[in-house]
Amino acid sequence: MKAPTDRGALLLGAYVYAVLAFIIVPLVIVIPMSFSQNDYLAFPPTGFTLKWYAEYFDSRQWRAATWLSVQVAFLTAICASLIGTAATYAMVRGRSRLVSLFQILLIGPIIVPHIALAVGLYLFFQTIGLSGTVPGFVLAHTVLTLPFVVFTMAAALGKVDANLESAAMSCGATRLQAFRFVTLPLVLPSLASGALFAFIISFDEPVVSFFLSGIRQKTLPRRMFEDIEQNLTPVIPAIATLLIVLSILILLGGHALRSRSKTQSSAG
Amino acid sequence: MKPISTTSATAGASVRISRLEKRFGPVVAVDGVDLDIAAGEFIALLGPSGSGKTTILMSVAGFEFPTSGAIEVDSEDLTYVPSNRRNLGMVFQNYTLFPHMTILDNVAFPLKMRGLPRAEGHARAEAALATVRLAGYGHRRPNELSGGQQQRVALARAIVYQPRVLLMDEPLSALDKNLREDMQLEIKRLHAELGITVIFVTHDQGEALTMADRIAVLKDGRIQQLGPARELYERPANLFTAGFIGEMNFVDVMVKSIGATIAVALPWGETWQLPAAAAVDAMEPAQAAVLAVRPERLELGAGAAGQVGDRQAVEGQVIKVTLSDIVYAGSALLLIGRLPDGTEIRARLPGASRLGSLAAGDVASFTVPAEAALLYRRSAR
C-alpha cells in the first residue's frame, strides 16, 4: 500500500529538481562565462581571466551607472519603508471607510503592467523635468516597491495587539511614543526585511529605468542592456556574477531577520 | 502631565460621569448614563456584551470620546483630554505586557514616560512588583510568566505611578477559575491597601457581587440598577436585573385588589395575599404582573406527602410542583419541575437536604415565604 505514495513522492522530487535546475542552470552558466578569454559572449568559455571584472571596475561609465543604481536603491528603500510603514499602520489601525480604496491604490503597482506605468511616468516626468534625475528614479521606484513593504508590514503590524498601544498610552505615552517604544521594536525585523526587498527590486528594475534614464544618468540594468546591444562582451556576465553574489547575501540577511522576527513574535 | 507624588500612600479620586452618551453611527452604545463614584470606592460595571459597560470605561480611560456628556475626576473635566494625560491606571483583559521588554522595564514604563531617571524608575518598579508579590521577577520576560503572574505585572504597571483611579476591563476573564478567585482577593487587598478608586468592568456577576462596593447593572447603554450587592440580589429594581443577577423563578399573575395586602390571581386559579412590600413596581388593580422568587428561597413543604398548607397564611404560600429533574451538585441540590399551569420552576436546597422518597415525576409541595416574593409589572419586562 505504501509503494504508490513512494513513487509519487519520487516523481514529485524529480519534478521539483527539474524545475530548480531549469531556473538555476542559466545562473550557473553565467559565472564561468564571466571568466572567459573570448572578446565576445560565447559558450563554452575558454581560458581564465579576470580582465572583465577589471574592465567593469575601471570603467567610469560602469561605475557611474552602479553608483546611480545604489543611490536610487538606497533612497528608494528608505522612502518605501517610511511611506509603506505609515500607510500600512493607517490601514491596519484605521477606522476610515477609505481603507479598502487606499489598500487597492497601494497594491496597484503590482497589478498594473510596469510598461504602462513606465510610459505614464515618462510622459509626466518629461514635462516636470524629473526624467533622468535621482529624485525621479526614487519616486518611480518607491511606487513600484511600496506593495512589497506594505505586504510585509501588514503581516507584522497585524500581529501586534492594538491594546498594547492603548496600554502604552494609558501609561502616559503619546501615540507617537507608543509607536516608537512598543510597536516599532516589535515590527523592526519585518521593516528591515521590507526595506531590503525594496532595495533589491529597485536595484535591478529594468523597465521603468529604461524609460526614465537620460543620456548621462543611466542605472546599471539600463547600461547593461545597452552594452548587450552594442558590444556583447563578457563584462555583462561579470557584472551579473557580482549581482548574483550580492543578491544572495542580501536575501540571506533578510531571511535571518525574518526568522528572528518569527521567534520574537512567537515569544511574545 | 502632573508630577508624581512622592508619598507612598495614594488616595483615590472621585469620578463623576454625567449624561454620558456615545453613538457609533446609528448604534447608541451608551444612552445617558449618570454615575457618581466616591473617592476610594470600588465600582463594578456589570452587564451582558453590548450593554455599553466597556464603552463607559473606555470613555473614562480616554480611548473613546463621548458623543455628549462629561467625565470629571476630582471635579476636573477630563471628557476630551487625551488618554495619556489622564493619569489613570488601566488593566486590560489580555495582560498587554510589552513582549520585548523585561518585567521591570514594563512596570517602569509609565515612570519613563513621566521623565523619571532610570535608576529611580527601576527602584519604584521593584517596589510595585513587591506590592503584587512578584519581587525578584523583574529580569524575566513576559512570556516566561503564567497568565496570573502576567496580569499581576499589568496591575503593578497600572499602579506604579500612583494613579488615583484604577480602571479594569474584564481583567480576570482570561484566567482559569482558581486563579480568578486568587486574583479577586489580590485586587480587593490592593484596593484596601492603596485606597485607590476602582472601576471594574465585568460580565461575571459573581465577580461583581464579591468584589465591588456598589454595582451598576447595565443593559442597552443604560444603568438598570445601581447599588450594593445585597440590595441588587435581594430586591432587584426591575425584571431585567431580577433575571440577570442570579437565578430567578417567574410566574405570571394578575393583581386583583390592593389593600393592606396585595391579592394576586395565580394562573391555576388560586388567589394569594402578598405583603404590600412585595410590590417593587407600583401596582394597580387588574395589573398584569410577574411574581419573582429566588430558587433558594423555596422551602420544601412540611409533609413529604405534599400536603397543601393554609392558603391565607401570612408566613407563606404553598405551591405544588411536579418534579421533572433532581440534580445533585455537591453543595446544592437543584429541583426542577412544573407548576400546575406548566410554568417551569426551580428550587435550590442545601446539598445535605433529605428528600425522602421524592423522585422525578412526584408532586412536591414547596413553601414560598411571604418576604421572598417580589412583584413586578409585566409590561416592564
Side-chain angles (χ1 to χ4, degrees):
Chain A
M1 289 305 280
K2 274 198 101 183
T5 37
D6 279 351
R7 204 181 302 152
L10 221 65
L11 268 175
L12 181 65
Y15 177 70
V16 168
Y17 281 109
V19 170
L20 285 178
F22 189 74
I23 294 168
I24 289 169
V25 165
L27 293 179
V28 180
I29 287 175
V30 160
I31 295 169
M33 278 165 76
S34 69
F35 299 108
S36 171
Q37 277 175 338
N38 289 343
D39 276 355
Y40 51 91
L41 274 178
F43 194 83
T46 50
F48 181 85
T49 176
L50 288 175
K51 72 175 170 183
W52 306 116
Y53 288 89
E55 190 173 320
Y56 166 72
F57 284 110
D58 285 345
S59 153
R60 177 180 294 179
Q61 275 188 328
W62 281 121
R63 283 207 312 262
T66 309
W67 175 233
L68 177 66
S69 278
V70 168
Q71 265 182 300
V72 168
F74 185 72
L75 292 173
T76 298
I78 291 177
C79 289
S81 8
L82 283 181
I83 299 171
T85 305
T88 314
Y89 188 81
M91 255 167 50
V92 174
R93 294 277 190 268
R95 287 191 204 167
S96 167
R97 248 176 276 160
L98 292 175
V99 159
S100 53
L101 177 74
F102 197 48
Q103 203 164 4
I104 292 166
L105 281 176
L106 277 174
I107 293 165
I110 279 192
I111 299 153
V112 175
H114 283 189
I115 190 85
L117 202 68
V119 173
L121 284 171
Y122 170 73
L123 293 173
F124 182 52
F125 280 8
Q126 280 290 356
T127 11
I128 61 170
L130 274 178
S131 210
T133 64
V134 173
F137 281 121
V138 172
L139 275 178
H141 283 177
T142 301
V143 169
L144 288 182
T145 53
L146 263 182
F148 297 93
V149 176
V150 168
F151 280 138
T152 36
M153 292 312 286
L157 282 172
K159 270 189 258 164
V160 177
D161 182 0
N163 272 343
L164 280 183
E165 288 166 20
S166 298
M169 284 191 280
S170 78
C171 288
T174 60
R175 192 165 267 288
L176 203 64
Q177 282 174 321
F179 183 79
R180 156 82 185 75
F181 290 114
V182 176
T183 315
L184 188 61
L186 292 173
V187 299
L188 202 56
S190 302
L191 180 58
S193 107
L196 276 182
F197 261 129
F199 185 93
I200 295 179
I201 291 164
S202 160
F203 193 77
D204 61 22
E205 195 288 317
V207 183
V208 173
S209 300
F210 199 90
F211 278 83
L212 293 187
S213 290
I215 295 164
R216 290 207 204 98
Q217 294 276 54
K218 287 170 187 157
T219 65
L220 191 59
R222 168 73 204 256
R223 181 79 188 78
M224 286 169 78
F225 270 114
E226 267 182 24
D227 198 79
I228 291 171
E229 272 181 0
Q230 292 161 12
N231 307 323
L232 215 66
T233 59
V235 173
I236 299 298
I239 298 171
T241 304
L242 289 173
L243 289 182
I244 289 170
V245 172
L246 187 73
S247 301
I248 288 174
L249 287 179
I250 291 179
L251 279 178
L252 285 179
H255 181 73
L257 281 173
R258 267 203 305 284
S259 54
R260 221 191 91 190
S261 86
K262 248 177 227 150
T263 48
Q264 206 171 58
S265 62
S266 68
Chain B
M1 197 163 299
K2 280 184 194 150
I4 310 155
S5 71
T6 43
T7 54
S8 63
T10 318
S14 64
V15 179
R16 166 170 287 186
I17 298 169
S18 33
R19 298 180 314 281
L20 191 74
E21 195 172 308
K22 175 70 181 177
R23 292 167 189 276
F24 295 101
V27 181
V28 184
V30 180
D31 191 5
V33 162
D34 288 289
L35 189 56
D36 270 324
I37 303 167
E41 195 177 10
F42 196 129
I43 278 270
L45 304 182
L46 174 67
S49 51
S51 61
K53 57 191 192 302
T54 299
T55 309
I56 295 174
L57 192 77
M58 290 303 158
S59 303
V60 178
F63 296 124
E64 299 281 4
F65 289 144
T67 313
S68 67
I71 289 157
E72 290 164 50
V73 173
D74 267 354
S75 306
E76 186 190 347
D77 188 347
L78 293 184
T79 317
Y80 297 106
V81 173
S83 54
N84 59 307
R85 282 197 264 128
R86 293 196 179 197
N87 266 310
L88 309 173
M90 174 101 190
V91 176
F92 294 80
Q93 178 179 345
N94 48 357
Y95 322 137
T96 61
L97 299 183
F98 310 131
H100 57 295
M101 295 184 196
T102 62
I103 295 304
L104 200 61
D105 282 334
N106 261 285
V107 179
F109 186 78
L111 304 172
K112 181 179 168 184
M113 290 300 105
R114 284 164 175 75
L116 220 69
R118 197 179 146 82
E120 198 186 334
H122 276 183
R124 285 212 194 179
E126 241 355 313
L129 279 174
T131 315
V132 297
R133 294 187 288 184
L134 280 177
Y137 282 76
H139 61 281
R140 301 206 193 178
R141 296 260 165 187
N143 62 328
E144 293 167 341
L145 266 54
S146 71
Q149 289 172 328
Q150 288 190 46
Q151 199 55 297
R152 266 150 65 193
V153 174
L155 203 53
R157 186 178 64 187
I159 59 168
V160 72
Y161 50 98
Q162 287 146 14
R164 293 163 305 160
V165 180
L166 180 59
L167 309 175
M168 308 184 97
D169 184 14
E170 310 224 4
L172 309 181
S173 54
L175 304 176
D176 62 45
K177 191 170 172 290
N178 288 337
L179 216 48
R180 201 151 55 210
E181 279 163 11
D182 285 351
M183 281 296 289
Q184 286 176 2
L185 297 176
E186 183 92 30
I187 293 170
K188 287 261 314 178
R189 182 179 63 79
L190 268 178
H191 171 244
E193 236 172 76
L194 301 176
I196 195 171
T197 308
V198 178
I199 307 178
F200 188 100
V201 162
T202 181
H203 64 263
D204 179 337
Q205 42 162 310
E207 205 164 276
L209 292 175
T210 11
M211 296 180 77
D213 297 328
R214 280 194 302 162
I215 300 157
V217 180
L218 285 141
K219 187 201 166 206
D220 299 337
R222 293 179 187 206
I223 293 184
Q224 302 294 315
Q225 188 170 3
L226 173 66
R230 183 175 279 271
E231 188 181 308
L232 239 65
Y233 190 81
E234 292 185 357
R235 201 172 170 83
N238 55 39
L239 272 179
F240 171 75
T241 316
F244 186 69
I245 308 266
E247 272 185 308
M248 190 70 96
N249 290 307
F250 294 109
V251 182
D252 288 346
V253 297
M254 285 300 271
V255 175
K256 286 174 84 175
S257 65
I258 302 171
T261 57
I262 302 175
V264 295
L266 286 112
W268 54 91
E270 282 179 46
T271 297
W272 285 3
Q273 299 292 335
L274 297 174
V280 180
D281 297 326
M283 290 295 158
E284 53 197 61
Q287 167 79 49
V290 178
L291 180 70
V293 184
R294 295 268 180 217
E296 72 271 17
R297 299 297 294 273
L298 294 179
E299 290 158 17
L300 198 57
Q307 272 182 333
V308 180
D310 179 4
R311 285 184 188 171
Q312 301 300 318
V314 190
E315 309 85 55
Q317 309 288 347
V318 171
I319 48 173
K320 284 170 104 176
V321 177
T322 312
L323 293 176
S324 57
D325 279 298
I326 298 175
V327 183
Y328 178 72
S331 63
L333 194 56
L334 176 64
L335 280 70
I336 306 170
R338 296 201 175 273
L339 289 169
D341 69 314
T343 308
E344 192 186 86
I345 197 145
R346 289 162 178 249
R348 215 172 259 285
L349 308 175
S353 308
R354 302 206 178 275
L355 293 181
S357 60
L358 267 189
D362 291 353
V363 176
S365 294
F366 290 91
T367 305
V368 181
E371 74 282 4
L374 297 168
L375 208 53
Y376 297 91
R377 278 164 174 265
R378 205 184 305 172
S379 56
R381 195 171 210 165

